[in-house]
Amino acid sequence: MKQLRRVFLALLVGLSAIPPLGLPRKASADYSIGNGYFYTQTGGGGGRGFSIVDDGAALLWSEFNRLGGVDAVGYPTSTRFLWDGFIVQATQRVVLQWRPEARQAYAVNVFDLLHQAGKDDWLLAVRATPRPLGPEFDAGLTWEQIVAKRLSLLGQNIAIRNAYYGVVGDPLLMNGLPTSPVTDMGNHYALRAQRVVFQHWKEDVPWALAGQVTVALGGSIAAEAGLLPPGAIAAQAAPSIASSVVTAPGSEAGPQFPAMPAGGFGYGFQVDQGADYDRALRLTSEAGFKWVKVQVRWKDLEPAPGAVTWGFFDPIIAKAQARNLKVLFSVTTAPDWARPAGADLSMNGPPASPEPLARLVGSIASRYKGRVAAFEIWNEQNLSRDWGGAGRQSAPEYVALLQEAYRAIKAADPAALVITGALTPAGNVDLGSGLLAVDDLDYFRQMYQAGMKGFFDGVGVHPSGFNNPPEMDPRDPTVLGRHGRFKDHRSFYFRTFEGYREIMAEHGDESKGLWFTEFGWATGPADEEWAYALDNSEADQARYLVEAFKIARERGYVVAMFVWNLNHWDPSEAGHGFSVLRPDWSPRPAYTALSRMAK
């Protein structure tokens, strides 16, 4: 009886804060703001609330109405913010995610994210929410069979089944699939779905009569559980009624999106899958990181057209999925058969045409639909050694490759994210035989000029710090005027990434985020090219990495960061100086500091 009473009191405190979703009463303070609407119901009083609008970044007001408006999804409960690379806005029932490639909004599976964030115990204790079914429930089934099997769980309680199908709008869109059986919670039966929880009451409670079904709303619970950033759920002052068009919070020129919550920001390592991949994944998870980046050397994995080495990909995906880790594939280096006639095959380079790369990435996205979270298309294409030789770098050729790869990936798996190939931070480097490197910001502008806009979900960058602390601002002349090597150009500084953001704002891409697909600080010894590593101690490396995460998170427009690297120890490459583990797998101070870092 004591346990039942505790559950009842938890429900009374928690659920009474969220009114049933029905025909809500419109507040007199709500009004049109030209390109949307301002609502005060969830603002806490004083005329504060949340705007939901259409603008050049996202048509969330139109989508809000298409989905049924307040009657279907409830009132807005957040401003816009950037989450996993997408513009999102929470309502009481769902978190709307704007998908630019589809020109519409989809509901986020917040209860799946709460599970990933380790909130199942909290949900059970505070919200009487059943635990989700394990992966064995769907093992070996096709997608169609999974949908049918999960919907069949509704047959365990006809009242809940009727409520599931009785929503305004599409039931699957509004509720998601069931993720638990109907479970006896004492004074009610509950069924957990991906986006809401249904509750069929056995007895009268202050908010429902015996026999009624209520809905615990996913958007409101996500905020209560700390899944949404505090800055986004803080109500805003009312906009001026005199203004005919109001810009959405966070979408004006040069926005500073609120920092992402731990469940949304991407913490990752680049791993060497050939060096005890299982151990690398375990240590990634133990550090509290949720992403791994694996480089896909096309040259090594498709020796002849169509002969893809799936044995490389299958275990990478399966083992990462078993540890609930997301995968970023960085695809680079064309095989000899795909290179243009007369190409210098001693150098890495692009294919003669975009079609074979598009076919490869489309095949990967199709085979692993829903299991590869993101694709980075190429790597450091502003360097001669990655684009066929000195002076051959070409932003138009790269953009053509990106466009075809984007189309192929989205056709196979619309949810997979496409990230632009990260440029190496550099100025124009010419030692007399042609450009070895094109200035990365110049090249980035050329990518826009060549038609990059609309063909990516995030921008890849490689903001390494050389022998300079991450907080130093290269726009400060006194910083660039310091004595010593690797001091006098902005590309030697971590905060060079801010220049990318400025260029994106110039082209109206504020809604897209930056992905640090590689960054880090090396420690010595090193050869002449990486001599800066001699200036960095292991303690420096640890402090710089932790501080870099802090700086980037505070910016609000950085979506994910991949430390280069976890376990690349080839002494013939620069990678061994950047590793946060030693070749015997013992932690360097950097790994320990990253593991303890707040996330």
Side-chain angles (χ1 to χ4, degrees), residues 287-305:
F289 281 38
K290 300 297 184 183
W291 283 81
V292 290
K293 173 189 170 185
V294 176
Q295 189 163 86
V296 175
R297 282 180 53 87
W298 179 19
K299 181 176 184 177
D300 301 332
L301 297 171
E302 192 176 8

Side-chain angles (χ1 to χ4, degrees), residues 517-541:
T517 60
E518 179 181 310
F519 82 102
W521 280 263
T523 63
D527 60 21
E528 180 63 23
E529 184 176 356
W530 293 286
Y532 54 82
L534 294 170
D535 297 334
N536 300 327
S537 68
E538 289 193 340
D540 290 333
Q541 182 190 47

Side-chain angles (χ1 to χ4, degrees), residues 376-399:
E376 181 184 20
I377 305 304
W378 224 257
N379 176 74
E380 299 189 340
Q381 58 271 18
N382 62 322
L383 284 185
S384 62
R385 65 188 181 199
D386 286 297
W387 204 261
R392 295 183 179 273
Q393 301 96 317
S394 170
E397 288 179 6
Y398 170 72
V399 169

Side-chain angles (χ1 to χ4, degrees), residues 253-256 441 444-445 448 459 461 473-475 490 495-510 512 514 555 557:
Q256 297 294 310
L441 294 187
F444 189 56
R445 288 189 176 91
Y448 268 113
V459 169
V461 291
D473 185 353
R475 292 170 295 187
R490 54 140 186 92
R495 285 179 58 184
T496 188
F497 72 83
E498 293 171 344
Y500 286 80
R501 183 64 177 177
E502 292 169 0
I503 295 170
M504 294 169 70
E506 292 170 6
H507 292 85
D509 269 336
E510 300 94 334
K512 302 293 179 67
L514 296 181
R555 296 299 183 274
Y557 51 76

Side-chain angles (χ1 to χ4, degrees), residues 427-505:
N428 291 315
V429 179
D430 188 345
L431 301 181
S433 59
L435 280 172
L436 300 179
V438 177
D439 184 284
D440 55 318
L441 294 187
D442 289 347
Y443 192 103
F444 189 56
R445 288 189 176 91
Q446 293 169 23
M447 288 164 61
Y448 268 113
Q449 293 165 4
M452 173 181 68
K453 187 176 176 67
F455 289 94
F456 63 91
D457 298 307
V459 169
V461 291
H462 284 177
S464 292
F466 289 74
N467 55 358
N468 301 297
E471 61 269 19
M472 285 190 167
D473 185 353
R475 292 170 295 187
D476 182 346
T478 62
V479 169
L480 297 185
R482 294 176 305 136
H483 295 295
R485 293 186 299 177
F486 309 103
K487 309 291 186 187
D488 61 351
H489 192 269
R490 54 140 186 92
S491 62
F492 298 137
Y493 295 85
F494 174 74
R495 285 179 58 184
T496 188
F497 72 83
E498 293 171 344
Y500 286 80
R501 183 64 177 177
E502 292 169 0
I503 295 170
M504 294 169 70

